[in-house]
Amino acid sequence: MVKSASQAGFFTLKHFKVKPLLKENINTSSENSDLPEFVELAKTIVNWGINESMNSPFISGHATIMESDNLLENVPFIGEEEIELTYTDFYGESATHKFFLYAIEDIQPAASTNDRMMKYTVRFCSIQKLQGDQRSIRKSYNKTKISDMVQDIYDTFMVTDDPSQSKPIEIEDTDGEQTLVIPDMRADAAMQFLSRRAYSERNKTALYRFFETREKYYFCTPEYLVEKYRPNLEKNASEINPLYFIYNTLEDNTGPGQMIAQQSVNDFNYGTKVDTFQDMKQGTYRRIVTELDPTTRTRIERQYDYSTEVGEKEFPSPVKLTHSQNFLDRYMAFNTAPEEYLLTDFPQIGQSQGQDNMKKPYQHFYENYTAKPIVDYHFDVNTLKIEIFGRIEMYPGMMINLELYKISNTVSGTREIDHERSGDYIVTDVINVFSGDIYKQAISITKGGLT
């Protein structure tokens, strides 16, 4: 529930507790026996932030601290601590997160004229990142679905002994059994390796990503996220939907005005509309994959045409091609398209796997080397960056609706809706910035093109 007097972006940092990660290290030595179980740093935090992204397997954060108690030596802080922080946002929602403090840097006097106050930055990540980085994974899987491999790696290498330090994982089912070897990788790197090989019959982009948010882990495609979060965009006539945003330049310090400000875009950047040479060199519209099978002495060439496939990918909104069809046919034709050569040791779809199914099942090389990187490119190049006032319920993978106006003057002086850039978007990155008592988020959003 929003307080009527709240300023847009207002938040409260209730706790920023720091204590040894290992319980056996709490006040075990005689010199530390008088120290409390934890140190509360909420009043010493100048600013702090948390970064999360669909393109990153883990979240990270930082906090700038100013204090005069020499906690670095007296506690001490040595990069073996757990951080437990609790905060409340503009809407009255509260959240508590636990992190691992792994670095302390930029230690200096608070000011050149004040050597009694110390300033430094602590950096932290999820405790499961520490758990997963303890050892490398060298493991083989035989005729196993990748989604089952992901679950096995998560359960074996990423779940902590303390349930309060572990998040759940949401895994989209994959299609096809694969035979793979995890070649000496840390847990998050192994997850990204598997995401590049994963395939879905239902969601044809197969653009699986493994990423962490403040809430949980995901291993899924954008289509899965659209299906999960689109119902949240349904408008309720009785209240404002916090996932709908407008670009508003009017200042209004009244209670209703601050509610509108909370739903407004403070700043935005359209990024790149087109880079034709990049499109040509990377084969972002047409691509050829040639599979060479030395066991059967066969050569299979297949062509992928994004210009004919894009109509089927209406997520999160229908998009149109940036280039004209005539230009694509003239300058990005198949005879000039980039070509990938792959060695295969598995039968094609419909072919026998040999006696007693001794051969590998079909490995979906063609699909993973065409649709996946091309859709990923269009998602990336059509990313918008916007700044909004923060709220806890905003994570990578969620959907928002954005209404923007055209940047132009009209004869009548009225503003026109930019229908190409307005609409439903997937949130790919959230940079949470807390400074003073104001919470802002710099978010990256995409729908893969213009509508």
Side-chain angles (χ1 to χ4, degrees):
M1 183 176 180
V2 182
K3 296 180 180 178
S4 59
S6 292
Q7 178 183 357
F10 178 80
F11 87 100
T12 302
L13 178 59
K14 293 185 175 180
H15 298 292
F16 197 100
K17 300 177 182 178
V18 180
K19 65 179 181 180
L21 178 65
L22 300 177
K23 294 180 179 179
E24 54 267 34
N25 284 354
I26 298 178
N27 300 339
T28 54
S29 63
S30 58
E31 60 189 46
N32 291 336
S33 59
D34 295 332
L35 292 175
E37 181 178 336
F38 63 86
V39 178
E40 176 61 79
L41 295 180
K43 300 297 184 182
T44 70
I45 304 295
V46 178
N47 56 68
W48 58 288
I50 301 173
N51 299 339
E52 45 193 338
S53 171
M54 287 178 62
N55 297 309
S56 174
F58 61 92
I59 63 176
S60 61
H62 72 277
T64 301
I65 297 172
M66 289 182 63
E67 50 94 355
S68 58
D69 295 323
N70 197 17
L71 298 174
L72 294 182
E73 295 183 14
N74 292 338
V75 173
F77 294 159
I78 56 174
E80 298 179 5
E81 289 75 37
E82 174 188 287
I83 296 174
E84 181 179 318
L85 60 87
T86 302
Y87 60 107
T88 303
D89 68 6
F90 173 86
Y91 297 100
E93 296 288 333
S94 293
T96 298
H97 308 302
K98 291 186 177 182
F99 296 102
F100 170 61
L101 191 161
Y102 68 88
I104 304 166
E105 55 191 36
D106 297 329
I107 304 170
Q108 58 186 295
S112 59
T113 58
N114 183 3
D115 60 359
R116 297 186 179 184
M117 185 78 70
M118 181 180 292
K119 178 181 177 181
Y120 50 90
T121 299
V122 299
R123 299 198 177 275
F124 50 86
C125 62
S126 62
I127 297 174
Q128 285 180 269
K129 167 65 173 171
L130 171 67
Q131 180 77 13
D133 272 16
Q134 286 185 87
R135 49 184 171 151
S136 290
I137 301 173
R138 304 178 185 88
K139 192 169 185 177
S140 62
Y141 293 93
N142 183 41
K143 297 180 180 178
T144 306
K145 292 202 304 183
I146 282 185
S147 51
D148 293 335
M149 300 181 200
V150 169
Q151 188 69 65
D152 178 63
I153 290 175
Y154 180 81
D155 293 340
T156 305
F157 298 95
M158 297 188 68
V159 174
T160 62
D161 295 332
D162 184 349
S164 70
Q165 297 173 345
S166 291
K167 300 174 182 176
I169 184 171
E170 195 164 324
I171 302 173
E172 177 187 353
D173 199 27
T174 60
D175 290 302
E177 295 179 342
Q178 297 204 29
T179 298
L180 294 173
V181 176
I182 307 297
D184 192 16
M185 293 178 170
R186 303 294 180 180
D188 51 9
M191 292 293 201
Q192 291 185 308
F193 169 76
L194 293 176
S195 72
R196 293 190 292 270
R197 302 294 297 268
Y199 177 72
S200 168
E201 287 284 355
R202 182 166 178 251
N203 296 324
K204 294 295 187 179
T205 67
L207 190 55
Y208 280 86
R209 284 189 171 102
F210 173 73
F211 62 98
E212 180 189 11
T213 71
R214 286 162 288 140
E215 182 187 34
K216 62 173 66 173
Y217 286 93
Y218 287 91
F219 185 91
C220 63
T221 62
E223 294 102 317
Y224 176 90
L225 295 168
V226 168
E227 185 176 351
K228 174 184 174 70
Y229 285 112
R230 191 184 291 281
N232 294 349
L233 293 181
E234 296 177 1
K235 286 189 175 182
N236 187 329
S238 63
E239 61 183 21
I240 296 175
N241 190 323
L243 297 176
Y244 275 70
F245 296 89
I246 61 173
Y247 182 59
N248 178 39
T249 58
L250 299 177
E251 292 188 11
D252 185 347
N253 291 324
T254 65
Q258 289 303 291
M259 175 62 78
I260 294 175
Q262 183 71 23
Q263 297 300 121
S264 299
V265 174
N266 302 326
D267 195 10
F268 63 89
N269 186 321
Y270 288 154
T272 301
K273 180 176 181 179
V274 65
D275 185 334
T276 301
F277 284 122
Q278 190 82 344
D279 293 343
M280 294 171 64
K281 293 174 182 176
Q282 295 200 11
T284 58
Y285 284 87
R286 283 159 179 172
R287 186 171 292 194
I288 299 172
V289 170
T290 298
E291 296 178 313
L292 305 175
D293 188 344
T295 62
T296 60
R297 296 186 178 182
T298 57
R299 178 183 185 275
I300 301 175
E301 178 185 295
R302 287 191 280 182
Q303 300 176 341
Y304 179 85
D305 189 348
Y306 180 75
S307 63
T308 60
E309 297 280 344
V310 69
E312 300 177 7
K313 296 174 176 56
E314 298 184 355
F315 63 93
S317 301
V319 296
K320 61 184 180 182
L321 296 175
T322 302
H323 296 289
S324 67
Q325 193 66 50
N326 288 335
F327 188 88
L328 292 175
D329 292 340
R330 172 65 178 82
Y331 291 101
M332 300 185 202
F334 274 115
N335 61 351
T336 61
E339 185 172 4
E340 296 275 358
Y341 288 90
L342 305 173
L343 283 176
T344 64
D345 57 353
F346 51 83
Q348 297 298 315
I349 295 177
Q351 292 182 345
S352 171
Q353 290 181 233
Q355 187 176 2
D356 299 325
N357 289 331
M358 291 296 291
K359 294 183 179 180
K360 289 181 183 178
Y362 181 65
Q363 301 289 289
H364 300 284
F365 277 11
Y366 166 73
E367 294 82 0
N368 285 332
Y369 278 88
T370 53
K372 186 175 291 191
I374 289 177
V375 173
D376 189 34
Y377 173 87
H378 287 282
F379 261 51
D380 182 60
V381 79
N382 288 285
T383 293
L384 275 67
K385 298 181 184 297
I386 66 174
E387 183 188 84
I388 60 174
F389 286 112
R391 72 282 318 279
I392 288 172
E393 293 294 326
M394 178 64 71
Y395 306 107
M398 292 184 66
M399 292 187 67
I400 67 169
N401 182 276
L402 180 63
E403 185 176 282
L404 293 173
Y405 294 102
K406 291 183 178 179
I407 306 175
S408 62
N409 289 322
T410 59
V411 176
S412 63
T414 59
R415 306 176 75 183
E416 296 182 10
I417 298 294
D418 186 343
H419 293 288
E420 284 190 333
R421 294 182 176 86
S422 298
D424 296 343
Y425 283 84
I426 293 179
V427 177
T428 60
D429 302 78
V430 180
I431 300 175
N432 302 275
V433 180
F434 304 83
S435 183
D437 60 1
I438 298 299
Y439 174 18
K440 292 184 177 182
Q441 290 172 319
I443 67 176
S444 298
I445 58 177
T446 188
K447 55 183 174 180
L450 300 177
T451 53

